[in-house]
Amino acid sequence: MAFLKTILIILLVYYGLKILLRMFAPKIMGYAAKKTEQHFRERFGEFTNAHQGRPTTEGEVVIEKQPNKGRQSKDTVGEYIDFEEID
C-alpha cells in the first residue's frame, strides 16, 4: 500500500509541476527576453552613442580608434620560395 501511495504522490507532483510550468512559462520567458534585451542595449549602446555626438553626411567614413603602434605586423612571416616541377 505504501508503494502505491508513493507512486501516486510522484505522479501528482509531476502533473502539478507540469501544469504550473505551462501557466508561468510565458511570463518567465518574457522576463528573460527583457533582461537579455536590456543587457544587449547596455553593452552595444555605447557604440551607437559615440556616433550620435557629431553629424555625419552620407558616405563619410569615421574611424574612432587608431591602431596600436607597438604591435608588430603579422605580414612578415618569412621568405617566399618558388618551387619548380622537375620532370
Side-chain angles (χ1 to χ4, degrees):
M1 196 68 169
F3 178 72
L4 184 63
K5 193 174 186 181
T6 304
I7 296 294
L8 287 175
I9 290 173
I10 289 173
L11 287 175
L12 183 66
V13 168
Y14 172 75
Y15 284 112
L17 286 175
K18 192 173 175 181
I19 291 170
L20 287 175
L21 281 177
R22 282 193 181 183
M23 288 172 47
F24 292 113
K27 293 178 184 177
I28 293 170
M29 294 300 286
Y31 176 75
K34 284 180 187 177
K35 287 304 245 181
T36 304
E37 180 184 356
Q38 181 183 8
H39 175 72
F40 277 111
R41 287 189 190 271
E42 288 174 2
R43 294 283 297 191
F44 297 110
E46 61 194 37
F47 294 114
T48 57
N49 290 338
H51 294 295
Q52 291 176 355
R54 59 185 147 175
T56 57
T57 59
E58 185 176 339
E60 183 180 353
V61 177
V62 178
I63 299 174
E64 293 292 326
K65 292 185 177 182
Q66 297 295 327
N68 294 339
K69 295 181 181 177
R71 183 184 294 174
Q72 295 180 355
S73 175
K74 295 181 182 178
D75 295 335
T76 57
V77 178
E79 288 187 25
Y80 175 75
I81 301 173
D82 188 18
F83 292 99
E84 296 182 11
E85 265 188 51
I86 301 175
D87 290 322

